[in-house]
Amino acid sequence: MTQYQVPVAEKKFIGSHILVAILALAVGSLFGPLQAFEHAGWDFYTYLKPLIKSYYQGLTVHGVLNALVWTTFFIMGFLTFNVVFGLKRPLKNIVLNKVGFWMMVVGVVAAAIPILANQATVLFTFYPPLKANPFFYVGLTLVVVGSWVEGWGLFMTYSDWRKENKNERTPFVAFGSLVTALLWQICTLGVAIEILTMLLPWSLGLIDGVDPQLARTYFWFTGHPLVYFWLLPAYISWYAMLPKQAGNGKMFSDSLARLSFWLFLVLSTPIGIHHQYVDPGVPPTWKFLHSMFTFGVFFPSMMTAFTVIASLEHGARKNGGKGALGWIGKLNWSDPSVASQLLAGLLFFFGGIGGLANASYNVNLVLHNTAFIPGHFHLTVATAVTLSFIGISYWLVPYLTGRKLWQPKWATIQAWVWFVGMIIFSNSMHVLGLLGAPRRVPLGLAPYVPAEWSGRLFQVGLGGAILFVSGLIYLVVIYKTATNKERVESEVEVPIAEPMQDPALGPAWLDRWAPWIYGALALIVLMYGPVLFEMIRTMALTSPGFRVW
C-alpha cells in the first residue's frame, strides 16, 4: 500500500482532538437520557442533588458538551487530518495549530466550571436575559477564537501547497475541509459580537442590561450555519470516503460535490432569521426574504443526496447489485463504519423533511416552541452528524493509534441500536410536538399533560434508554480499541473514493476562492445589513439579567 504517511506529530495532534471530543460525548451523553427519562416520569435528578440541582442544569450540560464541544473538537481534528492527508504535506506551523487547540481546551474548562457550579444554567443557546457567570462567556469566546486560530493554520498550509501547485485541482477532502473552516470563520462573527459587545460586559457589570432581540439575531447569524459546520464534515465523508468503504465505488461527480460546498458557503449564513419567525421585533419583510433563501439551501442538499446515492449505487452494482433498490443489499453493511454512516443518512432523510417544515413560515408558527424541534434536532445533529462521526472514528482511531478495532461486530451492533433508539425517541418527540407538547419543559412535572401524550412520553424514555445503551457500547469499543494490544498488520488504508472523471477536466471556477467568498460576504451584507443597522440604531440595553434555576 502506498499512501501518504501523515507525520507522527500530526497524528498525535489530531488524536488529541478526538480524545477531547469523545470525553465530551461521554459526559454529555450521561445527561441526555436523564432528559428523556424525566419526560417519561422517571425523574433521576432527585437522586443527583446537590451535585446537579435541576433539570435545566442537566440540559445545559447535555447541550453544551454534545452539541458544541463534541462536535467542534471532532470536526477540527477531522478537518486537520483531511488537509494534511489530502494535500500530502504536514501543517505549515503546527505550533500555531496547537495554540488554537489549547485555547479551545482552556475555554471548555473555563465554561464547564460555572456550568457545574450551577452558575451558567442557560442552555446551549445562552439566550439573554438568562444570565451566566462571566467565565462561561470567556470560555465560549476562547473556544471560538481557538478554532479560528486552528483554521488559520489550515489556510496557511493550503497557501503553501497552492504556491507549489498552481495548476492543480485541490484534492476534494482538503477542499471540503477548507470550505468548512472558512464557513466557520464567517458565521461565528455573530456570536463573537454578541458575547464581546453585550453578554460579557453585562455579566461583568459594565453595562446594566441587554437587548434580547438583538442578541438573538446575533446568535442566529451563527446558529443556522452552525448546522452546516456540523454537517459538512459528514458530507466530506459521505462524498469522498463512504463510496470506497461501502463497495469500492467512486465519487459520481467531483464537480457537483464542489459546487454544493460553495453553495452551502454562500447560502447558509444569510438565512438565520428563519429561526426568528416568532420574534415580534423582526420586520416581516426580512422574515420573508430569509425564508426564501432558506429554501435555496434545499438545492445543494438535493445535489448531495443525488451524488452520494449515485456513488453508492455505482459501487454496489459493480459488486452484483441489481434492481431499483436491490443494490442496497450489496453495500458493505458488515463494516461498522459503513453501517453507521448509511443509517445516519437514512434518518437524515426524515430530518431534512422536518427542516423544510421548520423553514415554512406558517407551519413554523405552529411547531416552533414544541417538542417537534428537539425531535428534528436529534435526527440531524444527534444522528446525521454524531452517528457519522462515530462511523468515521471506527477507522480513524485504528489509523491514528495503529491498534485494531475491538470487536467490529459490537461496533456494528452499536450503530443499529442507535438507529432503533433514535427512531423511537425522535418519532415520539415529533408526534408530541404535533400534539402541542412544549419544548424546553420538564414535562414529567407538568400538571397539564393530556392522556394522548402519555404513550408518547413513555416512548421518549424508552428511546433515550436504548440510545444510552448504544452510547455505552460505543465508549467500550473505543476504549478497548485505544488500549488493544493487538496491532494492525499494516497501516489502515484511508478510504478515498476517486472521482469517476478527472477533476482537472471540471470547470476551473469551482476551484477559485475569491468569487465565492465575495459572493458570500455580499449576500450577508444584503440580507443582514439593513435589519442589523436598524436593530443597532434602536438598541435598548434595558433588560436586566434573570436567574430562574
Side-chain angles (χ1 to χ4, degrees), residues 225-544:
L226 173 62
V227 174
Y228 294 96
F229 175 68
W230 291 329
L231 280 171
L232 292 188
Y235 287 179
I236 293 170
S237 181
W238 293 0
Y239 268 119
M241 296 176 171
L242 184 59
K244 174 78 172 180
Q245 296 173 285
N248 201 26
K250 294 187 175 182
M251 188 197 300
F252 179 74
S253 173
D254 178 88
S255 297
L256 274 180
R258 289 173 196 265
L259 179 58
S260 71
F261 269 69
W262 285 129
L263 291 176
F264 282 124
L265 175 73
V266 172
L267 294 173
S268 64
T269 298
I271 58 176
I273 286 178
H274 82 262
H275 288 266
Q276 295 179 269
Y277 287 155
V278 297
D279 288 17
V282 179
T285 301
W286 296 104
K287 293 177 181 176
F288 172 76
L289 290 174
H290 281 238
S291 169
M292 292 298 101
F293 276 86
T294 301
F295 286 107
V297 182
F298 185 65
F299 291 102
S301 300
M302 287 297 96
M303 287 163 57
T304 298
F306 171 78
T307 308
V308 171
I309 293 172
S311 304
L312 293 173
E313 183 178 355
H314 169 259
R317 290 197 184 280
K318 278 202 315 181
N319 294 327
K322 296 179 180 177
L325 297 175
W327 58 268
I328 295 174
K330 288 293 182 180
L331 297 173
N332 188 12
W333 288 92
S334 61
D335 183 330
S337 179
V338 173
S340 299
Q341 295 180 75
L342 291 177
L343 295 174
L346 279 174
L347 287 187
F348 186 51
F349 173 77
F350 299 99
I353 294 172
L356 288 175
N358 296 333
S360 306
Y361 179 80
N362 49 348
V363 180
N364 182 285
L365 294 183
V366 178
L367 299 174
H368 187 81
N369 282 316
T370 75
F372 189 96
I373 302 300
H376 164 72
F377 195 70
H378 280 79
L379 283 182
T380 52
V381 183
T383 303
V385 173
T386 294
L387 194 52
S388 291
F389 290 178
I390 286 174
I392 292 168
S393 72
Y394 282 145
W395 67 261
L396 184 59
V397 171
Y399 172 84
L400 294 173
T401 62
R403 301 173 189 276
K404 278 190 174 180
L405 180 66
W406 182 79
Q407 296 289 341
K409 284 187 178 178
W410 273 104
T412 306
I413 291 170
Q414 178 273 321
W416 280 100
V417 173
W418 190 286
F419 181 72
V420 172
M422 189 57 75
I423 288 175
I424 296 172
F425 173 85
S426 182
N427 179 61
S428 54
M429 291 290 281
H430 278 86
V431 174
L432 280 167
L434 294 174
L435 292 173
R439 61 168 163 153
R440 298 194 182 105
V441 171
L443 292 173
L445 300 176
Y448 49 79
V449 172
E452 61 263 32
W453 293 6
S454 298
R456 298 294 179 178
L457 290 172
F458 171 78
Q459 291 172 25
V460 170
L462 176 63
I466 296 172
L467 287 168
F468 177 73
V469 171
S470 175
L472 200 59
I473 297 172
Y474 173 66
L475 294 175
V476 170
V477 170
I478 288 297
Y479 173 76
K480 298 289 280 185
T481 299
T483 58
N484 197 350
K485 293 181 180 177
E486 195 175 357
R487 292 191 166 270
V488 295
E489 296 167 0
S490 58
E491 187 179 56
V492 172
E493 181 183 7
V494 177
I496 298 294
E498 298 297 329
M500 292 184 186
Q501 184 184 41
D502 184 353
L505 300 176
W509 49 269
L510 289 176
D511 206 25
R512 290 178 181 157
W513 291 71
W516 300 101
I517 295 173
Y518 293 146
L521 295 177
L523 197 56
I524 288 170
V525 171
L526 184 67
M527 295 292 285
Y528 263 112
V531 68
L532 273 176
F533 174 79
E534 186 62 19
M535 283 188 178
I536 294 170
R537 189 183 70 80
T538 59
M539 175 172 57
L541 301 175
T542 55
S543 177

Side-chain angles (χ1 to χ4, degrees), residues 111-180:
I113 292 172
I115 290 175
L116 295 174
N118 198 32
Q119 297 297 312
T121 301
V122 292
L123 311 186
F124 89 96
T125 48
F126 51 91
Y127 286 154
L130 291 177
K131 191 174 185 180
N133 181 284
F135 279 102
F136 174 78
Y137 301 118
V138 170
L140 289 183
T141 302
L142 286 173
V143 171
V144 171
V145 175
S147 64
W148 287 353
V149 173
E150 287 213 58
W152 301 339
L154 299 182
F155 298 143
M156 289 168 59
T157 304
Y158 175 67
S159 177
D160 272 13
W161 179 88
R162 176 50 76 195
K163 288 175 185 172
E164 297 172 8
N165 300 272
K166 292 183 179 176
N167 298 317
E168 294 287 326
R169 292 287 193 274
T170 310
F172 180 76
V173 293
F175 165 83
S177 299
L178 292 163
V179 172
T180 306

Side-chain angles (χ1 to χ4, degrees), residues 53-75:
K53 294 181 173 57
S54 69
Y55 169 91
Y56 288 107
Q57 189 183 5
L59 187 56
T60 301
V61 174
H62 176 58
V64 170
L65 286 180
N66 284 13
L68 300 181
V69 181
W70 146 252
T71 53
T72 303
F73 275 86
F74 191 94
I75 289 168

